[in-house]
């Protein structure tokens, strides 16, 4: 099970930290990712991290967003320098196998949280 929290409203240039609590079998999965989906748009890869700490991020968030995982089964997404175009529902996902590396397609991820809304506006 993956459960997101920490969404909300921020001003442009502000920061938010999202959390994804892991429980059950997903704690042993290979990698964890954050996706986002804005209204009327397709689900978009944001960033991902493997259990060993390898990270992949989409270009639009590099230098602004940081993914991490602690030893208490939580994955975080630190979001700085937020922009209005970052507004979306943010979803946490996990992939069981290392076969495909850190995929950016949501089709490779087997388990999903319900998402948390992030709104960036002045």
């Amino acid at each position: 099970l993956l459960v997101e929290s920490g969404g909300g409203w921020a001003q442009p240039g502000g920061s938010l930290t999202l959390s994804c609590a892991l429980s059950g079998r997903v704690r042993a999965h290979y990698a964890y990712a954050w996706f986002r989906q804005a209204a009327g748009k397709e689900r978009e890869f944001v960033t991902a991290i493997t259990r060993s700490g390898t990270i992949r991020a989409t270009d639009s968030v590099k230098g602004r967003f940081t993914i991490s995982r602690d030893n208490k089964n939580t994955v975080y997404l630190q979001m700085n320098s937020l922009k209005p175009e970052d507004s979306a529902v943010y979803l946490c996902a996990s992939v069981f196998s290392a076969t495909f590396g850190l995929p950016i397609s949501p089709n490779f991820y087997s388990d999903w949280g319900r998402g948390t809304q992030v709104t960036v506006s002045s």
Side-chain angles (χ1 to χ4, degrees):
L1 188 64
L2 303 99
V3 179
E4 303 94 338
S5 61
W9 173 83
Q11 290 186 332
S15 299
L16 285 173
T17 301
L18 305 183
S19 300
C20 176
L22 313 174
S23 62
R25 62 187 179 89
V26 301
R27 292 177 295 176
H29 279 186
Y30 167 69
Y32 307 90
W34 288 97
F35 285 78
R36 63 187 180 188
Q37 189 164 17
K41 295 188 177 181
E42 293 187 352
R43 192 163 294 186
E44 176 191 22
F45 173 82
V46 178
T47 185
I49 186 170
T50 67
R51 293 180 66 191
S52 63
T54 300
I55 292 173
R56 183 176 187 179
T58 193
D59 287 345
S60 64
V61 307
K62 286 180 180 177
R64 300 191 300 124
F65 291 11
T66 303
I67 189 172
S68 62
R69 182 186 176 187
D70 66 11
N71 58 4
K72 296 182 179 179
N73 297 308
T74 303
V75 177
Y76 299 96
L77 181 63
Q78 174 66 45
M79 303 186 295
N80 299 325
S81 302
L82 283 163
K83 304 175 181 180
E85 52 263 43
D86 294 320
S87 297
V89 174
Y90 281 71
L91 304 106
C92 184
S94 66
V95 56
F96 170 75
S97 171
T99 301
F100 302 103
L102 277 176
I104 63 172
S105 170
N107 296 330
F108 289 95
Y109 291 82
S110 57
D111 292 79
W112 292 83
R114 292 188 175 186
T116 185
Q117 177 70 48
V118 170
T119 302
V120 184
S121 69
S122 54

